[in-house]
Amino acid sequence: MWLTIKEVCRIYKIKKSTLYVWANTGKIPCYKVNGLLRFKKEEIDEWLSNHKVTQPGIEKISSKVATCPDKDYNPLHGETRPYQTLRKGG
């Protein structure tokens, strides 16, 4: 199935400008037909699956936050130090 720029942007939630840069630099598989960019859905799906980014330390961080006592956790900033209110004048 062939996709246009608009369709790829809508389906994969990619900005148009980003897609043009990726296509011009050869980062994403595409075809130029009569001056128009076209994409094969199967190739885009495969390309995306090959470019999956993993974050090896994220599980460790999540488990530490989950075991942190509630009194030491500031949910507004995700910090693990005691929450202190700043008062005007010292």
Side-chain angles (χ1 to χ4, degrees):
M1 175 178 185
W2 291 94
L3 301 174
T4 64
I5 289 276
K6 283 184 179 182
E7 291 169 333
V8 172
C9 292
R10 182 179 46 82
I11 293 169
Y12 298 103
K13 309 285 191 266
I14 301 171
K15 289 183 179 180
K16 207 179 210 182
S17 58
T18 302
L19 191 55
Y20 275 114
V21 169
W22 288 350
N24 287 333
T25 58
K27 290 185 178 182
I28 193 167
C30 65
Y31 300 86
K32 209 165 202 177
V33 181
N34 292 330
L36 301 173
L37 287 175
R38 294 292 182 254
F39 305 85
K40 283 190 176 179
K41 184 171 182 355
E42 300 81 22
E43 289 181 359
I44 300 297
D45 290 337
E46 182 181 341
W47 179 81
L48 284 172
S49 66
N50 290 334
H51 286 80
K52 181 179 178 181
V53 177
T54 58
Q55 298 175 344
I58 197 74
E59 294 83 18
K60 293 177 184 176
I61 293 170
S62 297
S63 64
K64 285 182 182 178
V65 171
T67 59
C68 180
D70 288 339
K71 65 180 181 64
D72 293 338
Y73 181 70
N74 176 359
L76 299 176
H77 302 287
E79 298 173 356
T80 55
R81 61 187 164 116
Y83 180 73
Q84 297 173 355
T85 305
L86 297 175
R87 295 183 186 173
K88 192 173 183 178

